[in-house]
Amino acid sequence: MKKLYLASKNQGKIEEYKKLLLGVNCQLFLQPKSIEVEENGSTFRENAIKKASEVSKKTRNYAIADDSGICIDALNGKPGIYSSRYAENDKKRIERVLMELDGEENRSAFFIANICVCSPDGEVILESEAKCFGNIIQNPRGKSGFGYDPIFEELSSKLTFAEMNNNLKDLCSHRGKALKKIIPQLLTIFN
Ligand code: ITT
């Protein structure tokens, strides 16, 4: 069985990938603690490529990474690629967003995930991107998920990501949709 490294240190993402990749016949490994990847790209794509290629080169195995974030229209797309660096923890990041949107009527936003898979020699072999549209609500709702989930109300269900069970979030989320697009290629590589 071929090995696949999850190039992420975000526990919330890791839990989602473990479920999303269940049908792919690979041995899933977490990013070794010793590997630190500096996310200094200027786009989601650049950062996703950097994470996947550095982890694949250092582990000499396949690696999958995503760079993701939330883009808020009234904040001109912020926090965007800085979503994980917007404050020191999830609670403070949510507080900052709600404060910046205080009194703002336009609450529209989208999550985006850019996924990259690299071969054991560090070459990019698969890329995928997807978005999920919704609105930033005034008061957080729900207990599941991670990050900005409690303040992001998905457009069609009117549920926040934190109110959804895992299966529902996977169906409509940026990460779930981006990964679904490349599942056929992953099956060809690993199964
Ligand atoms: P890795 O780079 O180690 O994977 P990270 O958290 O730094 O972890 P990113 O740079 O891609 O990952 O930042 C993504 C941030 O965007 C993440 O920390 C959350 O704050 C937010 N985010 C992304 N997807 C999310 C989701 O499904 N639900 C809630 N917040 C999400």
Side-chain angles (χ1 to χ4, degrees):
M1 202 188 277
K2 289 178 184 145
K3 295 177 181 171
L4 175 62
Y5 276 83
L6 251 177
S8 175
K9 292 195 167 174
N10 178 317
Q11 200 54 40
K13 273 191 201 179
I14 291 168
E15 294 309 322
E16 291 189 8
Y17 272 106
K18 281 186 190 164
K19 292 209 183 63
L20 289 165
L21 290 167
L22 272 179
V24 179
N25 194 24
C26 59
Q27 239 185 315
L28 204 57
F29 286 88
L30 300 183
Q31 175 173 334
K33 288 202 169 71
S34 56
I35 302 180
E36 282 291 340
V37 184
E38 200 194 346
E39 289 183 41
N40 54 6
S42 56
T43 61
F44 290 104
R45 180 169 179 262
E46 275 175 35
N47 283 332
I49 291 176
K50 195 150 192 258
K51 289 188 256 191
S53 83
E54 285 194 27
V55 171
S56 63
K57 278 185 207 153
K58 288 193 173 135
T59 59
R60 296 174 192 275
N61 274 292
Y62 289 94
I64 183 166
D66 81 49
D67 201 57
S68 48
I70 190 161
C71 302
I72 300 171
D73 292 347
L75 303 179
N76 298 315
K78 280 197 308 181
I81 60 166
Y82 302 104
S83 293
S84 63
R85 295 165 267 177
Y86 216 45
E88 65 187 272
N89 57 42
D90 282 347
K91 185 169 174 282
K92 289 191 174 157
R93 287 188 270 272
I94 285 178
E95 280 168 6
R96 178 171 174 190
V97 163
L98 292 181
M99 196 219 2
E100 289 180 344
L101 286 180
D102 191 29
E104 175 61 56
E105 280 185 13
N106 177 9
R107 316 285 297 190
S108 58
F110 62 85
F111 268 112
I112 181 167
N114 187 294
I115 296 181
C116 176
V117 179
C118 283
S119 60
D121 56 4
E123 291 302 311
V124 175
I125 51 171
L126 293 173
E127 289 188 70
S128 183
E129 189 172 271
K131 291 177 183 170
C132 177
F133 292 89
N135 286 294
I136 305 297
I137 55 172
Q138 307 272 0
N139 297 302
R141 293 197 320 253
K143 296 261 179 274
S144 311
F146 67 99
Y148 300 87
D149 281 351
I151 54 167
F152 180 78
E153 185 186 79
E154 192 269 329
L155 212 53
S156 55
S157 65
K158 300 268 185 251
L159 294 172
T160 67
F161 272 173
E163 292 176 306
M164 294 183 179
N165 63 33
N166 294 332
N167 292 343
L168 185 55
K169 183 177 175 190
D170 291 346
L171 267 183
C172 58
S173 81
H174 48 312
R175 185 167 300 105
K177 289 194 290 190
L179 192 66
K180 197 173 170 196
K181 292 191 215 177
I182 53 168
I183 285 288
Q185 292 94 317
L186 288 172
L187 293 177
T188 306
I189 297 168
F190 291 98
N191 289 31

